[in-house]
Structure formats: structure tokens, C-alpha cells
């Protein structure tokens, strides 16, 4: 009976892939895929907010993250090789077979789920590792490249854990060692999420002097103006960015939507 259950679960998991292979459809580029993903993620965030599972601050932070990923998305990639469909079709059979084979060889069905105590212990281990990283950073010259890389690693780790304040502090230390517009964009985005709009505006102004055409910096500059209650300024910034945005840019639809939502 348990094997029938495993097979049923595998069939359910792979059913969308099988349907997509069986149904003829026009090929979609990276641009269309990015837009579809953005709309799906945004709709999910709207549902979470409507259901009361996200407050306004969390909703704004999550939406900003989706926008960041879309702005960082590359242009259209080349179309997949025709043999890709055959490979995917073979995967419909090979993936369940491989999974069952691995389970038979080294499966441990009696292992219980990780309780809260174990998850808390894992979080404590992460805290200890980050503390060790901070200690190592303290042992190298403050303005060295080693310190810069350490702070950058720490900032990314803290942001991944949702700890915006220490992440912002780490990115600020990276910029203090050597200014970089890309890292400045990361810090400015964190400041927007933390509602530190004045520092974000000052940082973006400095960054745009070094990289005046960077679309992410320009988008964030408009976001600061919109969050600060200056929609007219945000409209000017975003309309200028829209005029310079190629028609096939993956973030163009998002930018147009932001403009439509301005009061």
C-alpha cells in the first residue's frame, strides 16, 4: 500500500509537467516567463494581505523583493533545443524510478520530523557561525579586501534570515571600504524596506552619479519618492526610466504597473 501511495504522489507531482508536454502551445521567451512569475507572485502577496496573514510592512517588503528580482532578471535567453521536450518526457518516468531506487537503497522512513527544539538548535548554530564570522572579520585590517568580503558575506546571510538591521549595517561597512553602485543598491533597498527613506535617498543620489543609467537605482529612486509621499516626483523618475526601457525588458510591465498605481 505504501508503494501505491508513493506512486500516486509522484504522479500528482509530475502531472503539470506531463500536461504541459501533451498540450501544444507557443514558445515563451524569458521576458514572458519573468512577467508571468512576477504577476503570480504579486497576486499571491495580494491574497496573503487580504487574508490578514501579511501586514502592510511585510507586504511592502515582499513586494519590493519581487521587484528587485525582476529588475535583476537577464534578457531573453535562446530558445531551448527541440530535444528538451523529449528529455522532459523521459523525466516523467525516470524521476519516480530514480526516487524509488534511492529510497530502497538508503531510505529511512522511521526518522521523525524535526521538532521545534531541533529547529531552534539549528538557528543557534547559525547564530554561532555568524558570530565566528564577525570574530574573523575583526581580526583582519578594517579597510582590507578580506574585511570587505567578510562584511558582504555577513550582509547577505543576515538578509536571507530576514534580519534587516544587521544586514544594512554590514552592507554599509562594505561601502565604507570601497564604494560600489551595485552594493549601494542592495543597501538602499534594505533602507526602503526599513522605511529609512532619507538615508536611502542620499545613497541613491550618490550611486546615480556613478551609474546614472542603472535601471535598478532609478527604480529605487522612484520608490523612495513614492514611499515619502511625493508621487509627482516618483512619476517623473519612473517616466524617465520607462522612456529608456527597451520594449522587451522583463521589468517594463512592472514599471508600468507602478506608474498606474501612483495617486
Amino acid at each position: 500500500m505504501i508503494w501505491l501511495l508513493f506512486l500516486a504522489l509522484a504522479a500528482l507531482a509530475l502531472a503539470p509537467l506531463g500536461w504541459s508536454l501533451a498540450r501544444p502551445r507557443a514558445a515563451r521567451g524569458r521576458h514572458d516567463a519573468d512577467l508571468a512569475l512576477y504577476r503570480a507572485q504579486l497576486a499571491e502577496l495580494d491574497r496573503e494581505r487580504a487574508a490578514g496573514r501579511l501586514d502592510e510592512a511585510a507586504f511592502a517588503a515582499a513586494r519590493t523583493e519581487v521587484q528587485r528580482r525582476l529588475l535583476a532578471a537577464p534578457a531573453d535567453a535562446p530558445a531551448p533545443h527541440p530535444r528538451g521536450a523529449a528529455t522532459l518526457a523521459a523525466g516523467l518516468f525516470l524521476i519516480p524510478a530514480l526516487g524509488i531506487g534511492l529510497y530502497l537503497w538508503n531510505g529511512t522512513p522511521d526518522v521523525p520530523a524535526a521538532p521545534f527544539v531541533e529547529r531552534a538548535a539549528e538557528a543557534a548554530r547559525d547564530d554561532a557561525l555568524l558570530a565566528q564570522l564577525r570574530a574573523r572579520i575583526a581580526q583582519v585590517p578594517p579597510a582590507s579586501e578580506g574585511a570587505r568580503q567578510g562584511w558582504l558575506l555577513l550582509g547577505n546571510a543576515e538578509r536571507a534570515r530576514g534580519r534587516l538591521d544587521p544586514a544594512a549595517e554590514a552592507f554599509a561597512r562594505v561601502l565604507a571600504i570601497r564604494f560600489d553602485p551595485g552594493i549601494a543598491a542592495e543597501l538602499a533597498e534594505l533602507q526602503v524596506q526599513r522605511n529609512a527613506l532619507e538615508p536611502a535617498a542620499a545613497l541613491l543620489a550618490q550611486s546615480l552619479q556613478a551609474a546614472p543609467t542603472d535601471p535598478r537605482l532609478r527604480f529605487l529612486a522612484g520608490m523612495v519618492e513614492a514611499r515619502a509621499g511625493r508621487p509627482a516626483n516618483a512619476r517623473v523618475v519612473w517616466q524617465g526610466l520607462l522612456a529608456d526601457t527597451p520594449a522587451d525588458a522583463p521589468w517594463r510591465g512592472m514599471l508600468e504597473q507602478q506608474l498606474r498605481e501612483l495617486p
Side-chain angles (χ1 to χ4, degrees), residues 58-91:
F59 173 78
R63 182 170 179 170
T64 301
E65 174 63 17
V66 172
Q67 294 166 349
R68 180 184 72 83
R69 292 176 181 176
L70 186 61
L71 283 170
D76 282 356
H81 195 278
R83 288 181 297 178
T87 303
L88 292 176

Side-chain angles (χ1 to χ4, degrees), residues 154-182:
L154 184 63
N156 285 320
E158 294 286 21
R159 181 175 58 184
R161 302 182 72 194
R163 300 173 59 178
L164 302 186
D165 290 345
E169 177 191 359
F171 283 125
R173 289 180 179 270
V174 173
L175 292 177
I177 297 173
R178 189 177 76 247
F179 186 82
D180 179 86

